[in-house]
Amino acid sequence: MLRWLRWRKWVKPKQDIVHYHDKQARLVEIEQLEKQGHIDLFYADASGFCLTPVMAYCWQYPNERVYLIPQFSKRINVFGLLSTDNRFTSFQTLNRMDTAFVIESIESWKQTLTKPTVLVLDNSPIHQAKAFWEKIEPWQEEGLFIFFLPAYSPHLNKIEILWRKIKYEWLKPTDYSSFANLKEAIIQILTKIGTDYTINFS
């Protein structure tokens, strides 16, 4: 029997299986160190928001349809850093997300760290630029360690759950009525993650 389900991107065939399993095992070890209290562990990534919504489903009354009109708009780019106990920091820009912005964001966030910390990142080109790699050793000397995920493994980056929650659950259709409303709604959500908005990672 057919079921009405959203189609999903499938990147597993592109993975280097040996490299993937090696990285996955190392990430499990890092997560255990975090559970034992030896380190802090954060997952970071960037996401963008504009007036073209990604909401494919929403609750609707019988005989009532919810319509959203896609509109061209500026894009709110967000670089976020999230722990599994819902500690969250974000940096927003209306400009293009680039390596310099990510480095600046990490430098600012780094000032809040209180113990050795591992930051999990994907292999986005902005994380693989020369300027970024030049920061890795100095950050290590300050107790911040970068762990790059294997290629084509977005499911291993737990902050992806946050982006899905914001886009598919926490933003409302009315938030897309104007760019000003969307921006205000996103700021409200980002500032209340860990209090009004939480994720159960267990």
PDB file of all heavy atoms in Angstrom, residues 87-120:
ATOM      1  N   ARG A  87      22.451  24.157  25.172  1.00  0.00           N
ATOM      2  CA  ARG A  87      23.181  25.423  25.209  1.00  0.00           C
ATOM      3  C   ARG A  87      23.385  25.844  23.757  1.00  0.00           C
ATOM      4  O   ARG A  87      23.837  25.058  22.937  1.00  0.00           O
ATOM      5  CB  ARG A  87      24.520  25.256  25.919  1.00  0.00           C
ATOM      6  CG  ARG A  87      24.407  25.179  27.437  1.00  0.00           C
ATOM      7  CD  ARG A  87      25.752  24.883  28.076  1.00  0.00           C
ATOM      8  NE  ARG A  87      26.171  23.518  27.798  1.00  0.00           N
ATOM      9  CZ  ARG A  87      27.416  23.081  27.904  1.00  0.00           C
ATOM     10  NH1 ARG A  87      28.385  23.921  28.264  1.00  0.00           N
ATOM     11  NH2 ARG A  87      27.710  21.826  27.653  1.00  0.00           N
ATOM     12  N   PHE A  88      23.049  27.067  23.471  1.00  0.00           N
ATOM     13  CA  PHE A  88      23.024  27.493  22.073  1.00  0.00           C
ATOM     14  C   PHE A  88      23.502  28.925  21.926  1.00  0.00           C
ATOM     15  O   PHE A  88      23.155  29.797  22.728  1.00  0.00           O
ATOM     16  CB  PHE A  88      21.599  27.378  21.518  1.00  0.00           C
ATOM     17  CG  PHE A  88      21.450  27.847  20.096  1.00  0.00           C
ATOM     18  CD1 PHE A  88      21.954  27.100  19.043  1.00  0.00           C
ATOM     19  CD2 PHE A  88      20.803  29.041  19.814  1.00  0.00           C
ATOM     20  CE1 PHE A  88      21.815  27.532  17.732  1.00  0.00           C
ATOM     21  CE2 PHE A  88      20.656  29.489  18.509  1.00  0.00           C
ATOM     22  CZ  PHE A  88      21.165  28.725  17.465  1.00  0.00           C
ATOM     23  N   THR A  89      24.314  29.140  20.907  1.00  0.00           N
ATOM     24  CA  THR A  89      24.760  30.483  20.537  1.00  0.00           C
ATOM     25  C   THR A  89      24.608  30.620  19.033  1.00  0.00           C
ATOM     26  O   THR A  89      24.875  29.678  18.284  1.00  0.00           O
ATOM     27  CB  THR A  89      26.238  30.707  20.924  1.00  0.00           C
ATOM     28  OG1 THR A  89      26.393  30.481  22.323  1.00  0.00           O
ATOM     29  CG2 THR A  89      26.675  32.131  20.590  1.00  0.00           C
ATOM     30  N   SER A  90      24.165  31.793  18.592  1.00  0.00           N
ATOM     31  CA  SER A  90      24.024  31.995  17.153  1.00  0.00           C
ATOM     32  C   SER A  90      24.532  33.366  16.754  1.00  0.00           C
ATOM     33  O   SER A  90      24.576  34.301  17.554  1.00  0.00           O
ATOM     34  CB  SER A  90      22.561  31.848  16.725  1.00  0.00           C
ATOM     35  OG  SER A  90      21.773  32.899  17.242  1.00  0.00           O
ATOM     36  N   PHE A  91      24.899  33.454  15.492  1.00  0.00           N
ATOM     37  CA  PHE A  91      25.372  34.702  14.885  1.00  0.00           C
ATOM     38  C   PHE A  91      24.654  34.849  13.556  1.00  0.00           C
ATOM     39  O   PHE A  91      24.621  33.915  12.758  1.00  0.00           O
ATOM     40  CB  PHE A  91      26.888  34.669  14.690  1.00  0.00           C
ATOM     41  CG  PHE A  91      27.649  34.452  15.978  1.00  0.00           C
ATOM     42  CD1 PHE A  91      27.911  33.164  16.436  1.00  0.00           C
ATOM     43  CD2 PHE A  91      28.076  35.526  16.735  1.00  0.00           C
ATOM     44  CE1 PHE A  91      28.593  32.956  17.634  1.00  0.00           C
ATOM     45  CE2 PHE A  91      28.767  35.340  17.927  1.00  0.00           C
ATOM     46  CZ  PHE A  91      29.023  34.045  18.376  1.00  0.00           C
ATOM     47  N   GLN A  92      24.069  36.025  13.325  1.00  0.00           N
ATOM     48  CA  GLN A  92      23.265  36.238  12.126  1.00  0.00           C
ATOM     49  C   GLN A  92      23.892  37.307  11.228  1.00  0.00           C
ATOM     50  O   GLN A  92      24.544  38.235  11.701  1.00  0.00           O
ATOM     51  CB  GLN A  92      21.842  36.680  12.496  1.00  0.00           C
ATOM     52  CG  GLN A  92      21.110  35.706  13.408  1.00  0.00           C
ATOM     53  CD  GLN A  92      21.310  36.023  14.866  1.00  0.00           C
ATOM     54  OE1 GLN A  92      21.297  37.179  15.254  1.00  0.00           O
ATOM     55  NE2 GLN A  92      21.478  34.993  15.685  1.00  0.00           N
ATOM     56  N   THR A  93      23.642  37.156   9.937  1.00  0.00           N
ATOM     57  CA  THR A  93      24.079  38.156   8.970  1.00  0.00           C
ATOM     58  C   THR A  93      23.127  38.158   7.784  1.00  0.00           C
ATOM     59  O   THR A  93      22.568  37.113   7.427  1.00  0.00           O
ATOM     60  CB  THR A  93      25.518  37.888   8.490  1.00  0.00           C
ATOM     61  OG1 THR A  93      25.893  38.896   7.545  1.00  0.00           O
ATOM     62  CG2 THR A  93      25.648  36.527   7.834  1.00  0.00           C
ATOM     63  N   LEU A  94      22.945  39.325   7.187  1.00  0.00           N
ATOM     64  CA  LEU A  94      22.177  39.421   5.947  1.00  0.00           C
ATOM     65  C   LEU A  94      23.098  39.328   4.742  1.00  0.00           C
ATOM     66  O   LEU A  94      22.623  39.308   3.599  1.00  0.00           O
ATOM     67  CB  LEU A  94      21.391  40.734   5.913  1.00  0.00           C
ATOM     68  CG  LEU A  94      20.320  40.900   6.988  1.00  0.00           C
ATOM     69  CD1 LEU A  94      19.607  42.244   6.823  1.00  0.00           C
ATOM     70  CD2 LEU A  94      19.306  39.760   6.936  1.00  0.00           C
ATOM     71  N   ASN A  95      24.384  39.284   5.001  1.00  0.00           N
ATOM     72  CA  ASN A  95      25.360  39.112   3.931  1.00  0.00           C
ATOM     73  C   ASN A  95      25.609  37.631   3.684  1.00  0.00           C
ATOM     74  O   ASN A  95      25.120  36.763   4.416  1.00  0.00           O
ATOM     75  CB  ASN A  95      26.672  39.816   4.292  1.00  0.00           C
ATOM     76  CG  ASN A  95      26.492  41.311   4.450  1.00  0.00           C
ATOM     77  OD1 ASN A  95      25.770  41.939   3.688  1.00  0.00           O
ATOM     78  ND2 ASN A  95      27.144  41.885   5.460  1.00  0.00           N
ATOM     79  N   ARG A  96      26.393  37.357   2.700  1.00  0.00           N
ATOM     80  CA  ARG A  96      26.736  35.971   2.381  1.00  0.00           C
ATOM     81  C   ARG A  96      27.545  35.355   3.515  1.00  0.00           C
ATOM     82  O   ARG A  96      28.438  35.992   4.066  1.00  0.00           O
ATOM     83  CB  ARG A  96      27.530  35.917   1.074  1.00  0.00           C
ATOM     84  CG  ARG A  96      27.863  34.512   0.578  1.00  0.00           C
ATOM     85  CD  ARG A  96      28.524  34.589  -0.787  1.00  0.00           C
ATOM     86  NE  ARG A  96      29.800  35.265  -0.723  1.00  0.00           N
ATOM     87  CZ  ARG A  96      30.969  34.655  -0.477  1.00  0.00           C
ATOM     88  NH1 ARG A  96      30.996  33.340  -0.273  1.00  0.00           N
ATOM     89  NH2 ARG A  96      32.085  35.339  -0.452  1.00  0.00           N
ATOM     90  N   MET A  97      27.215  34.130   3.867  1.00  0.00           N
ATOM     91  CA  MET A  97      27.984  33.417   4.887  1.00  0.00           C
ATOM     92  C   MET A  97      29.323  33.001   4.288  1.00  0.00           C
ATOM     93  O   MET A  97      29.370  32.290   3.283  1.00  0.00           O
ATOM     94  CB  MET A  97      27.207  32.181   5.342  1.00  0.00           C
ATOM     95  CG  MET A  97      27.873  31.383   6.452  1.00  0.00           C
ATOM     96  SD  MET A  97      27.811  32.183   8.065  1.00  0.00           S
ATOM     97  CE  MET A  97      26.044  32.174   8.388  1.00  0.00           C
ATOM     98  N   ASP A  98      30.429  33.440   4.894  1.00  0.00           N
ATOM     99  CA  ASP A  98      31.736  33.091   4.363  1.00  0.00           C
ATOM    100  C   ASP A  98      32.667  32.678   5.493  1.00  0.00           C
ATOM    101  O   ASP A  98      32.305  32.693   6.679  1.00  0.00           O
ATOM    102  CB  ASP A  98      32.332  34.245   3.551  1.00  0.00           C
ATOM    103  CG  ASP A  98      32.490  35.529   4.364  1.00  0.00           C
ATOM    104  OD1 ASP A  98      32.418  35.484   5.611  1.00  0.00           O
ATOM    105  OD2 ASP A  98      32.698  36.597   3.753  1.00  0.00           O
ATOM    106  N   THR A  99      33.874  32.292   5.129  1.00  0.00           N
ATOM    107  CA  THR A  99      34.843  31.808   6.106  1.00  0.00           C
ATOM    108  C   THR A  99      35.160  32.855   7.164  1.00  0.00           C
ATOM    109  O   THR A  99      35.263  32.537   8.359  1.00  0.00           O
ATOM    110  CB  THR A  99      36.137  31.377   5.392  1.00  0.00           C
ATOM    111  OG1 THR A  99      35.837  30.325   4.466  1.00  0.00           O
ATOM    112  CG2 THR A  99      37.177  30.870   6.385  1.00  0.00           C
ATOM    113  N   ALA A 100      35.325  34.106   6.740  1.00  0.00           N
ATOM    114  CA  ALA A 100      35.664  35.172   7.690  1.00  0.00           C
ATOM    115  C   ALA A 100      34.578  35.317   8.746  1.00  0.00           C
ATOM    116  O   ALA A 100      34.881  35.503   9.937  1.00  0.00           O
ATOM    117  CB  ALA A 100      35.859  36.490   6.946  1.00  0.00           C
ATOM    118  N   PHE A 101      33.302  35.224   8.340  1.00  0.00           N
ATOM    119  CA  PHE A 101      32.205  35.350   9.293  1.00  0.00           C
ATOM    120  C   PHE A 101      32.208  34.182  10.280  1.00  0.00           C
ATOM    121  O   PHE A 101      32.000  34.368  11.483  1.00  0.00           O
ATOM    122  CB  PHE A 101      30.863  35.413   8.569  1.00  0.00           C
ATOM    123  CG  PHE A 101      29.689  35.604   9.492  1.00  0.00           C
ATOM    124  CD1 PHE A 101      29.344  36.868   9.937  1.00  0.00           C
ATOM    125  CD2 PHE A 101      28.942  34.513   9.924  1.00  0.00           C
ATOM    126  CE1 PHE A 101      28.272  37.049  10.798  1.00  0.00           C
ATOM    127  CE2 PHE A 101      27.873  34.681  10.790  1.00  0.00           C
ATOM    128  CZ  PHE A 101      27.539  35.957  11.215  1.00  0.00           C
ATOM    129  N   VAL A 102      32.440  32.967   9.788  1.00  0.00           N
ATOM    130  CA  VAL A 102      32.464  31.793  10.659  1.00  0.00           C
ATOM    131  C   VAL A 102      33.613  31.888  11.654  1.00  0.00           C
ATOM    132  O   VAL A 102      33.445  31.610  12.846  1.00  0.00           O
ATOM    133  CB  VAL A 102      32.557  30.504   9.821  1.00  0.00           C
ATOM    134  CG1 VAL A 102      32.810  29.299  10.723  1.00  0.00           C
ATOM    135  CG2 VAL A 102      31.283  30.303   9.009  1.00  0.00           C
ATOM    136  N   ILE A 103      34.787  32.293  11.187  1.00  0.00           N
ATOM    137  CA  ILE A 103      35.938  32.443  12.087  1.00  0.00           C
ATOM    138  C   ILE A 103      35.636  33.486  13.158  1.00  0.00           C
ATOM    139  O   ILE A 103      35.887  33.266  14.356  1.00  0.00           O
ATOM    140  CB  ILE A 103      37.195  32.833  11.292  1.00  0.00           C
ATOM    141  CG1 ILE A 103      37.669  31.653  10.433  1.00  0.00           C
ATOM    142  CG2 ILE A 103      38.311  33.283  12.236  1.00  0.00           C
ATOM    143  CD1 ILE A 103      38.830  31.990   9.517  1.00  0.00           C
ATOM    144  N   GLU A 104      35.096  34.621  12.752  1.00  0.00           N
ATOM    145  CA  GLU A 104      34.752  35.681  13.700  1.00  0.00           C
ATOM    146  C   GLU A 104      33.734  35.189  14.729  1.00  0.00           C
ATOM    147  O   GLU A 104      33.837  35.500  15.922  1.00  0.00           O
ATOM    148  CB  GLU A 104      34.196  36.889  12.942  1.00  0.00           C
ATOM    149  CG  GLU A 104      33.838  38.064  13.828  1.00  0.00           C
ATOM    150  CD  GLU A 104      33.281  39.227  13.038  1.00  0.00           C
ATOM    151  OE1 GLU A 104      33.410  39.230  11.796  1.00  0.00           O
ATOM    152  OE2 GLU A 104      32.708  40.139  13.668  1.00  0.00           O
ATOM    153  N   SER A 105      32.764  34.412  14.272  1.00  0.00           N
ATOM    154  CA  SER A 105      31.747  33.876  15.173  1.00  0.00           C
ATOM    155  C   SER A 105      32.357  32.917  16.186  1.00  0.00           C
ATOM    156  O   SER A 105      32.068  32.983  17.390  1.00  0.00           O
ATOM    157  CB  SER A 105      30.657  33.160  14.365  1.00  0.00           C
ATOM    158  OG  SER A 105      30.022  34.035  13.467  1.00  0.00           O
ATOM    159  N   ILE A 106      33.208  32.014  15.715  1.00  0.00           N
ATOM    160  CA  ILE A 106      33.850  31.053  16.617  1.00  0.00           C
ATOM    161  C   ILE A 106      34.753  31.768  17.608  1.00  0.00           C
ATOM    162  O   ILE A 106      34.799  31.420  18.798  1.00  0.00           O
ATOM    163  CB  ILE A 106      34.630  29.993  15.818  1.00  0.00           C
ATOM    164  CG1 ILE A 106      33.648  29.129  15.009  1.00  0.00           C
ATOM    165  CG2 ILE A 106      35.478  29.121  16.745  1.00  0.00           C
ATOM    166  CD1 ILE A 106      34.321  28.129  14.090  1.00  0.00           C
ATOM    167  N   GLU A 107      35.462  32.775  17.144  1.00  0.00           N
ATOM    168  CA  GLU A 107      36.336  33.545  18.042  1.00  0.00           C
ATOM    169  C   GLU A 107      35.520  34.188  19.167  1.00  0.00           C
ATOM    170  O   GLU A 107      35.937  34.195  20.328  1.00  0.00           O
ATOM    171  CB  GLU A 107      37.088  34.620  17.254  1.00  0.00           C
ATOM    172  CG  GLU A 107      38.215  34.100  16.377  1.00  0.00           C
ATOM    173  CD  GLU A 107      39.458  33.724  17.187  1.00  0.00           C
ATOM    174  OE1 GLU A 107      39.477  33.940  18.413  1.00  0.00           O
ATOM    175  OE2 GLU A 107      40.413  33.212  16.561  1.00  0.00           O
ATOM    176  N   SER A 108      34.364  34.734  18.832  1.00  0.00           N
ATOM    177  CA  SER A 108      33.510  35.350  19.838  1.00  0.00           C
ATOM    178  C   SER A 108      32.945  34.307  20.798  1.00  0.00           C
ATOM    179  O   SER A 108      32.993  34.472  22.020  1.00  0.00           O
ATOM    180  CB  SER A 108      32.367  36.109  19.162  1.00  0.00           C
ATOM    181  OG  SER A 108      31.489  36.667  20.106  1.00  0.00           O
ATOM    182  N   TRP A 109      32.427  33.209  20.249  1.00  0.00           N
ATOM    183  CA  TRP A 109      31.853  32.143  21.071  1.00  0.00           C
ATOM    184  C   TRP A 109      32.900  31.500  21.963  1.00  0.00           C
ATOM    185  O   TRP A 109      32.618  31.130  23.112  1.00  0.00           O
ATOM    186  CB  TRP A 109      31.217  31.108  20.138  1.00  0.00           C
ATOM    187  CG  TRP A 109      30.865  29.802  20.771  1.00  0.00           C
ATOM    188  CD1 TRP A 109      29.786  29.543  21.572  1.00  0.00           C
ATOM    189  CD2 TRP A 109      31.584  28.566  20.656  1.00  0.00           C
ATOM    190  NE1 TRP A 109      29.789  28.217  21.959  1.00  0.00           N
ATOM    191  CE2 TRP A 109      30.883  27.609  21.405  1.00  0.00           C
ATOM    192  CE3 TRP A 109      32.750  28.187  19.986  1.00  0.00           C
ATOM    193  CZ2 TRP A 109      31.314  26.289  21.497  1.00  0.00           C
ATOM    194  CZ3 TRP A 109      33.177  26.885  20.068  1.00  0.00           C
ATOM    195  CH2 TRP A 109      32.465  25.942  20.828  1.00  0.00           C
ATOM    196  N   LYS A 110      34.117  31.398  21.469  1.00  0.00           N
ATOM    197  CA  LYS A 110      35.206  30.744  22.202  1.00  0.00           C
ATOM    198  C   LYS A 110      35.452  31.391  23.568  1.00  0.00           C
ATOM    199  O   LYS A 110      35.901  30.720  24.502  1.00  0.00           O
ATOM    200  CB  LYS A 110      36.472  30.779  21.346  1.00  0.00           C
ATOM    201  CG  LYS A 110      37.705  30.129  21.955  1.00  0.00           C
ATOM    202  CD  LYS A 110      38.819  30.012  20.933  1.00  0.00           C
ATOM    203  CE  LYS A 110      39.221  31.361  20.379  1.00  0.00           C
ATOM    204  NZ  LYS A 110      39.835  32.234  21.414  1.00  0.00           N
ATOM    205  N   GLN A 111      35.141  32.666  23.678  1.00  0.00           N
ATOM    206  CA  GLN A 111      35.388  33.367  24.941  1.00  0.00           C
ATOM    207  C   GLN A 111      34.504  32.846  26.068  1.00  0.00           C
ATOM    208  O   GLN A 111      34.775  33.114  27.246  1.00  0.00           O
ATOM    209  CB  GLN A 111      35.153  34.877  24.752  1.00  0.00           C
ATOM    210  CG  GLN A 111      35.922  35.504  23.597  1.00  0.00           C
ATOM    211  CD  GLN A 111      37.408  35.201  23.642  1.00  0.00           C
ATOM    212  OE1 GLN A 111      38.035  35.338  24.698  1.00  0.00           O
ATOM    213  NE2 GLN A 111      37.973  34.798  22.506  1.00  0.00           N
ATOM    214  N   THR A 112      33.444  32.106  25.727  1.00  0.00           N
ATOM    215  CA  THR A 112      32.520  31.603  26.745  1.00  0.00           C
ATOM    216  C   THR A 112      32.905  30.211  27.256  1.00  0.00           C
ATOM    217  O   THR A 112      32.291  29.714  28.204  1.00  0.00           O
ATOM    218  CB  THR A 112      31.088  31.526  26.182  1.00  0.00           C
ATOM    219  OG1 THR A 112      31.024  30.506  25.161  1.00  0.00           O
ATOM    220  CG2 THR A 112      30.679  32.865  25.578  1.00  0.00           C
ATOM    221  N   LEU A 113      33.913  29.585  26.656  1.00  0.00           N
ATOM    222  CA  LEU A 113      34.250  28.210  27.003  1.00  0.00           C
ATOM    223  C   LEU A 113      34.928  28.142  28.365  1.00  0.00           C
ATOM    224  O   LEU A 113      35.739  28.994  28.719  1.00  0.00           O
ATOM    225  CB  LEU A 113      35.156  27.607  25.933  1.00  0.00           C
ATOM    226  CG  LEU A 113      34.601  27.636  24.498  1.00  0.00           C
ATOM    227  CD1 LEU A 113      35.564  26.942  23.546  1.00  0.00           C
ATOM    228  CD2 LEU A 113      33.212  27.002  24.437  1.00  0.00           C
ATOM    229  N   THR A 114      34.590  27.089  29.117  1.00  0.00           N
ATOM    230  CA  THR A 114      35.128  26.920  30.475  1.00  0.00           C
ATOM    231  C   THR A 114      35.929  25.638  30.647  1.00  0.00           C
ATOM    232  O   THR A 114      36.524  25.433  31.706  1.00  0.00           O
ATOM    233  CB  THR A 114      33.990  26.935  31.502  1.00  0.00           C
ATOM    234  OG1 THR A 114      33.062  25.880  31.198  1.00  0.00           O
ATOM    235  CG2 THR A 114      33.248  28.274  31.478  1.00  0.00           C
ATOM    236  N   LYS A 115      35.941  24.778  29.618  1.00  0.00           N
ATOM    237  CA  LYS A 115      36.715  23.535  29.687  1.00  0.00           C
ATOM    238  C   LYS A 115      37.093  23.142  28.270  1.00  0.00           C
ATOM    239  O   LYS A 115      36.594  23.737  27.308  1.00  0.00           O
ATOM    240  CB  LYS A 115      35.909  22.426  30.367  1.00  0.00           C
ATOM    241  CG  LYS A 115      34.658  22.002  29.611  1.00  0.00           C
ATOM    242  CD  LYS A 115      34.041  20.738  30.196  1.00  0.00           C
ATOM    243  CE  LYS A 115      33.515  20.944  31.597  1.00  0.00           C
ATOM    244  NZ  LYS A 115      32.765  19.735  32.075  1.00  0.00           N
ATOM    245  N   PRO A 116      37.993  22.170  28.111  1.00  0.00           N
ATOM    246  CA  PRO A 116      38.316  21.716  26.751  1.00  0.00           C
ATOM    247  C   PRO A 116      37.040  21.378  25.990  1.00  0.00           C
ATOM    248  O   PRO A 116      36.131  20.736  26.525  1.00  0.00           O
ATOM    249  CB  PRO A 116      39.183  20.473  26.994  1.00  0.00           C
ATOM    250  CG  PRO A 116      39.814  20.720  28.322  1.00  0.00           C
ATOM    251  CD  PRO A 116      38.779  21.443  29.136  1.00  0.00           C
ATOM    252  N   THR A 117      36.982  21.829  24.738  1.00  0.00           N
ATOM    253  CA  THR A 117      35.747  21.727  23.964  1.00  0.00           C
ATOM    254  C   THR A 117      36.037  21.202  22.566  1.00  0.00           C
ATOM    255  O   THR A 117      37.004  21.616  21.928  1.00  0.00           O
ATOM    256  CB  THR A 117      35.064  23.102  23.858  1.00  0.00           C
ATOM    257  OG1 THR A 117      34.744  23.569  25.180  1.00  0.00           O
ATOM    258  CG2 THR A 117      33.784  23.023  23.041  1.00  0.00           C
ATOM    259  N   VAL A 118      35.176  20.291  22.113  1.00  0.00           N
ATOM    260  CA  VAL A 118      35.241  19.792  20.743  1.00  0.00           C
ATOM    261  C   VAL A 118      34.078  20.395  19.972  1.00  0.00           C
ATOM    262  O   VAL A 118      32.926  20.375  20.426  1.00  0.00           O
ATOM    263  CB  VAL A 118      35.165  18.252  20.694  1.00  0.00           C
ATOM    264  CG1 VAL A 118      35.113  17.768  19.242  1.00  0.00           C
ATOM    265  CG2 VAL A 118      36.362  17.647  21.417  1.00  0.00           C
ATOM    266  N   LEU A 119      34.386  20.945  18.815  1.00  0.00           N
ATOM    267  CA  LEU A 119      33.378  21.537  17.943  1.00  0.00           C
ATOM    268  C   LEU A 119      33.257  20.687  16.687  1.00  0.00           C
ATOM    269  O   LEU A 119      34.226  20.531  15.945  1.00  0.00           O
ATOM    270  CB  LEU A 119      33.748  22.975  17.585  1.00  0.00           C
ATOM    271  CG  LEU A 119      32.762  23.722  16.690  1.00  0.00           C
ATOM    272  CD1 LEU A 119      31.412  23.862  17.382  1.00  0.00           C
ATOM    273  CD2 LEU A 119      33.320  25.097  16.324  1.00  0.00           C
ATOM    274  N   VAL A 120      32.082  20.135  16.455  1.00  0.00           N
ATOM    275  CA  VAL A 120      31.827  19.269  15.307  1.00  0.00           C
ATOM    276  C   VAL A 120      31.348  20.118  14.134  1.00  0.00           C
ATOM    277  O   VAL A 120      30.402  20.897  14.267  1.00  0.00           O
ATOM    278  CB  VAL A 120      30.773  18.203  15.654  1.00  0.00           C
ATOM    279  CG1 VAL A 120      30.423  17.373  14.414  1.00  0.00           C
ATOM    280  CG2 VAL A 120      31.280  17.305  16.776  1.00  0.00           C
TER     281      VAL A 120
END
